[in-house]
Amino acid sequence: MNPVVISVCIMLLLALMRVNVVVALTFSAIVGGLSAGMNITDTIAAFEGGLGGGATIALSYAMLGTFAVAISKSGITDLLAQSVIKRINGQENDTASTGLKYGVLVALILITMSSQNVIPVHIAFIPILIPPLLAVFSKLNIDRRMIACVLTFGLVTPYMILPIGFGGIFLNNILLKNLNDNGLQNISASDVPMAMLLPALGMITGLLVAIFVSYRKPRTYKETEITHVDAEPSHINKKHILVAVVAIVAALSVQLYTGSMIIGALAGFMVFTFGGVIAWKETQDVFTRGVHMMAMIGFIMIAAAGFAAVMKATGGVETLVEALSTSIGDNKPLAALLMLIVGLLVTMGIGSSFSTIPIIATIYVPLATAFGFSPMAIVALVGTAAALGDAGSPASDSTLGPTSGLNADGQHEHIWQTVVPTFIHYNIPLIIFGWVAAMVL
């Protein structure tokens, strides 16, 4: 058995058994290293050497959590929730309430997609926007698994087809560059989004199934301090609202200018402090609450970086593809399917489609060329294989981000209520539509 396959399967099995994801990642990384013939010392060294790769995103989450707590103290989140809830209370029939529900979903899709290109802050908005909207979701009896699918759709689909923002990085700087570097010619920047249209249609199909079929029925959640909002505001300080608006603008502007979520969140937090929303003596408490909110997400990202380092050290990806190429003969349809499945396994382990492309493009381009796939089909194969795990990996920020917001009141479990729904609704359609794209392009 291949060490990558062994590690990913063990990690997924443990996670599905509700073993802590950090424990699952660490244990499966060690098993993978040992099964590849590495000794325990080298395996642990590789794991610990990779941990630093997740430190930046972990600290980013901690700072974003702190910023989110500061925003909630300003009252602007209560104002947002109260304004929507008053509209809900004013509805006299189910049709109007349903219309408001789908209006909220459309707004979430647009906001999430905009976070990839219009204002490319990626997942930074989720810990800020989603917790105050939990009261709205509860009032409308929206299944949070649907919201998880909506958020993941908006985080993944834009970079697959829109060559701006993060899509520009994925399609042009990473996918096209690595394809060209590995010998794929006659492909221009305008061809890449076209090749990814069919796989993106798979994402849209999964989203529609999640909204209108799988999670259409109302779901009730317990009322908590976070999900309870008075319909009539009585404690909103207009000055604090103004400070909150300035802080949010400052955080987004600084993040876009510096490219750092850490510095952006810090800038916003300092605006809250100097603006009087957060007293100097309260900063320790606010930071502690923010870290508590995001600590598990951060530790998962750190462990995932160590896991990915061990997977790379084993050389299992290369041997997996070599075994694939020698065992399928001249069966082109089977070759396309197996390349997509291997991409799914690799990306689910590494947790990032952006990091996966340089690994698989080196092997997939000559392999797909040997099987007679067209240049456009190779683009679809490599791009889809990389994007596959992003929508269903326990260690991907496309699943960790939604969980960080939806679990603010402790009622949304990461594996069964984010990872499994997004895996079913996106990875399965991606394999189907990616395979069709490879066959018809």
Side-chain angles (χ1 to χ4, degrees), residues 311-337:
M311 293 304 97
K312 293 175 184 176
T314 64
V317 177
E318 291 79 3
T319 57
L320 181 60
V321 177
E322 287 172 8
L324 177 151
S325 62
T326 57
S327 63
I328 53 182
D330 296 325
N331 193 327
K332 188 175 177 180
L334 180 60
L337 178 62

Side-chain angles (χ1 to χ4, degrees), residues 351-394:
S352 168
S353 58
F354 287 63
S355 301
T356 301
I357 284 181
I359 299 173
I360 64 174
T362 306
I363 314 162
Y364 274 28
V365 171
L367 179 62
T369 302
F371 273 101
F373 288 101
S374 70
M376 290 288 279
I378 294 174
V379 174
L381 273 173
V382 176
T384 306
L388 263 168
D390 224 11
S393 169

Side-chain angles (χ1 to χ4, degrees), residues 80-94 96-101 104 133-142 231:
L80 172 65
Q82 287 163 352
S83 62
V84 178
I85 287 175
K86 280 202 295 186
R87 291 193 61 186
I88 297 171
N89 292 338
Q91 308 299 338
E92 297 181 356
N93 55 68
D94 291 339
S97 183
T98 300
L100 187 57
K101 168 186 170 181
V104 169
L133 288 178
L134 292 180
V136 175
F137 302 153
S138 295
K139 193 75 175 177
L140 291 170
N141 294 322
I142 297 177

Side-chain angles (χ1 to χ4, degrees), residues 44 134 137 148 198 297 316 345 348 359 361 375 385-386 398-399 416 423:
I44 293 174
L134 292 180
F137 302 153
L198 265 175
I297 305 296
L345 287 171
M348 288 197 75
I359 299 173
S398 297
T399 57
W416 285 101
F423 183 95

Side-chain angles (χ1 to χ4, degrees), residues 337-354:
L337 178 62
L338 289 180
M339 277 192 272
L340 290 172
I341 292 174
V342 169
L344 170 63
L345 287 171
V346 174
T347 314
M348 288 197 75
I350 295 176
S352 168
S353 58
F354 287 63

